[in-house]
């Protein structure tokens, strides 16, 4: 099987690394890729947001499967173009990806499918926003309606700040605050059925003890030994199946991964957000533990042939994100990185790196994902942090409490 992966971050490095390990995958390509991905795949300098360029590359390479990593190409219609050109594609259509691309569309689907989520109002004027803030009370949750790379959500006790965020966006969703630990469940979908991956958790705040601004994610781990029994089955029954059923009723069959971000509230699990792609950095730890060969699994989703639930290895995986100086406000780029060699139980995935004068340098906010694994969470955590300690990058920072708190 010849596979083309679209994207250039740590999630795509993890996807490529696992695809490379699948004996069914004979050729692996990635566009545009990154210096880490180059070690396992042939990379191509193609604009991942350009449907014609991506479909053209798939045609030239005569691939059997295109796997789309990030949300932006999905929302730009890349999966539609790839399917129209005759290729199997892992990733929902542009219209189905609106489950992530528009918070108000996601709310509409959840309401129609009776899926548990926070009560909400969609607001376009300051007066509407002010009324919604007062209806739900503090803490206030204000979400930019469109894609905002994990930075469009403000959660605050400060009504003025909440209103200022609403004013800065064209359209916002204001909703009730959901209390309780957050978990991620990814469901692989083939257009009619869905199967779950293992539960994972990510750490969104920039600094230790959940302080500082929201980020794209500073670390993750899987499995969740503390999660209630039967949670996965409950989420599949109450959330995933009704949601994809509602999308199908609207003529939007869902093929790809449905990312369910959940809050475990006292009244049961409720949806915080849906995404139309694999979560980053949860995917990095999930794929470390996935035993079922990835190529066959993604191909089954793309061709409507999903079968049994994916199988995971015992043990735990922990991911620590190494970020550049100034991330998330104003990341500094171009710093040389050293100490990237794997150890017996940990390795580095590249998230935001580039080549410069023969050396690997930082090229983004979240630069590296360090993955540790072991028989239990504590050994996996130690393995990850031991390798983080070997990495040299001027000004870098990381959280020191990943997988110690929930
Ligand atoms: P989202 O982009 O919707 O995932 O929001 C980013 C983060 O904001 C989430 O991971 C939560 O930590 C927080 N958040 C979003 N919605 C809510 C809510 N209704 N109640 C509490 N926290 C929320
Ligand atoms: N882990 C958060 C996200 O992928 O949106």
């Amino acid at each position: 099987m010849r596979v083309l992966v679209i994207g250039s971050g740590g999630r795509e490095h993890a996807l490529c690394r696992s695809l490379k390990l699948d004996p069914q995958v004979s050729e692996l390509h990635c566009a545009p890729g990154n210096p880490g991905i180059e070690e396992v795949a042939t990379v191509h300098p193609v604009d991942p947001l350009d449907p014609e360029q991506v479909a053209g590359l798939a045609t030239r390479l005569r691939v059997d499967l295109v796997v789309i990593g990030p949300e932006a190409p999905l929302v730009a219609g890349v999966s539609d173009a790839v399917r129209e050109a005759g290729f199997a594609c892992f990733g929902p259509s542009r219209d189905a990806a609106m489950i992530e691309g528009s918070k108000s569309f996601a709310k509409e689907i959840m309401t129609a499918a009776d899926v548990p989520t926070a009560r909400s109002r969609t607001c376009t004027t300051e007066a509407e926003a002010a009324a919604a803030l007062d209806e739900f009370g503090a803490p206030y949750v204000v979400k930019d309606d469109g894609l905002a790379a994990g930075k469009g959500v403000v959660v605050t006790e400060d009504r003025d700040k909440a209103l200022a965020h609403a004013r800065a966006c064209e359209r916002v969703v204001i909703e009730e605050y959901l209390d309780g630990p957050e978990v991620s469940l990814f469901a692989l979908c083939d257009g009619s059925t869905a199967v779950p991956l293992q539960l994972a958790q990510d750490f969104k705040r920039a600094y230790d003890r959940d302080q500082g601004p929201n980020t794209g994610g500073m670390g993750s781990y899987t499995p969740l030994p503390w999660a209630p029994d039967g949670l996965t089955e409950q989420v599949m029954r109450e959330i995933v199946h009704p949601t994809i059923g509602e999308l199908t009723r609207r003529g939007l069959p869902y093929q790809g991964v449905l990312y369910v971000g959940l809050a475990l509230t006292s009244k049961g699990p409720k949806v915080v957000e849906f995404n139309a792609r694999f979560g980053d950095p949860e995917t990095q730890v999930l794929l470390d533990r996935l035993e079922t060969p990835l190529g066959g699994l993604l191909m089954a989703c793309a061709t409507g042939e999903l079968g049994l639930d994916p199988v995971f290895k015992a043990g735990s995986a922990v991911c620590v994100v190494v970020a550049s100086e100034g991330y998330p406000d104003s990341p500094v780029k171009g710093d040389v990185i050293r100490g990237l060699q794997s150890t017996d139980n940990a390795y580095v995935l590249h998230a935001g790196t580039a080549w410069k004068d023969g050396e690997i340098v930082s090229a983004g906010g979240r630069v590296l994902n360090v993955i540790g694994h072991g028989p239990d969470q504590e050994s996996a955590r130690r393995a990850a942090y031991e390798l983080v300690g070997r990495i040299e990058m001027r000004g870098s920072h990381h959280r020191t409490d990943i997988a110690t708190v929930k």
Side-chain angles (χ1 to χ4, degrees), residues 10-326:
R11 166 184 49 211
E12 288 75 29
H13 192 179
L15 286 165
C16 286
R17 182 178 177 277
S18 292
L19 287 165
K20 183 76 180 174
L21 294 171
D22 181 344
Q24 268 201 75
V25 175
S26 52
E27 232 180 76
L28 186 58
H29 299 271
C30 184
N34 69 36
I37 292 173
E38 276 172 40
E39 292 171 18
V40 288
T42 308
V43 301
H44 302 269
V46 152
D47 178 0
L49 297 180
D50 184 329
E52 298 315 312
Q53 279 195 40
V54 174
L57 180 64
T59 306
R60 277 202 303 287
L61 297 171
R62 293 187 292 119
V63 294
D64 301 296
L65 175 68
V66 178
V67 177
I68 299 181
E71 61 275 21
L74 295 169
V75 171
V78 170
S79 54
D80 305 85
V82 164
R83 283 199 190 92
E84 272 160 34
F87 297 98
C89 181
F90 181 88
S93 66
R94 174 176 43 202
D95 291 347
M98 290 314 280
I99 196 95
E100 169 166 6
S102 163
K103 304 258 185 210
S104 54
F105 176 69
K107 284 291 181 189
E108 187 189 318
I109 296 291
M110 284 187 268
T111 305
D114 209 13
V115 164
T117 185
R119 288 181 301 129
S120 70
R121 298 267 176 268
T122 301
C123 310
T124 50
T125 68
E126 186 166 341
E128 282 171 4
L133 292 175
D134 294 336
E135 179 185 351
F136 298 126
Y140 303 104
V141 181
V142 183
K143 302 183 171 187
D144 191 342
D145 188 38
L147 281 185
K151 290 159 205 140
V153 178
V154 167
V155 180
T156 176
E157 295 278 346
D158 182 336
R159 191 176 177 282
D160 292 338
K161 268 196 199 146
L163 202 54
H165 185 55
R167 223 179 281 126
C169 306
E170 217 168 286
R171 212 167 123 99
V172 289
V173 171
I174 292 179
E175 64 181 35
E176 100 191 272
Y177 180 79
L178 296 178
D179 213 353
E182 284 184 43
V183 307
S184 304
L185 184 73
F186 304 158
L188 299 180
C189 309
D190 74 353
S192 54
T193 58
V195 296
L197 301 185
Q198 200 167 262
L199 291 162
Q201 196 175 35
D202 77 340
F203 293 78
K204 290 210 167 69
R205 298 286 184 149
Y207 313 125
D208 282 2
R209 293 181 305 285
D210 284 336
Q211 301 297 303
N214 262 328
T215 69
M218 294 298 288
S220 58
Y221 67 101
T222 190
L224 310 183
W226 53 268
D229 282 346
L231 178 60
T232 298
E233 294 72 17
Q234 185 184 5
V235 174
M236 292 303 286
R237 190 173 63 241
E238 293 180 3
I239 296 171
V240 172
H241 286 122
T243 299
I244 60 171
E246 180 61 26
L247 288 169
T248 304
R249 263 191 293 286
R250 293 175 184 227
L252 303 170
Y254 196 92
Q255 271 181 327
V257 55
L258 181 67
Y259 170 134
V260 188
L262 296 158
L264 304 185
T265 74
S266 55
K267 296 193 184 110
K270 293 193 182 187
V271 176
V272 173
E273 65 168 335
F274 281 132
N275 292 316
R277 36 84 192 167
F278 281 112
D280 186 345
E282 296 96 316
T283 301
Q284 287 83 319
V285 287
L286 286 166
L287 294 185
D288 183 274
R289 297 287 86 201
L290 181 69
E291 193 163 283
T292 308
L294 184 65
L297 201 52
L298 301 185
M299 182 59 115
C301 293
T303 52
E305 289 163 354
L306 264 181
L308 299 176
D309 286 5
V311 176
F312 285 82
K313 293 177 234 176
S316 175
V318 170
C319 167
V320 178
V321 171
V322 177
S324 53
E325 183 179 25

Side-chain angles (χ1 to χ4, degrees), residues 317-362:
V318 170
C319 167
V320 178
V321 171
V322 177
S324 53
E325 183 179 25
Y327 178 77
D329 296 332
S330 45
V332 177
K333 298 179 187 175
D335 283 300
V336 172
I337 310 166
R338 300 219 169 87
L340 293 170
Q341 294 77 17
S342 306
T343 60
D344 284 346
N345 42 19
Y347 55 91
V348 178
L349 298 170
H350 291 225
T353 66
W355 286 110
K356 190 178 168 200
D357 304 329
E359 296 203 274
I360 289 175
V361 298
S362 57

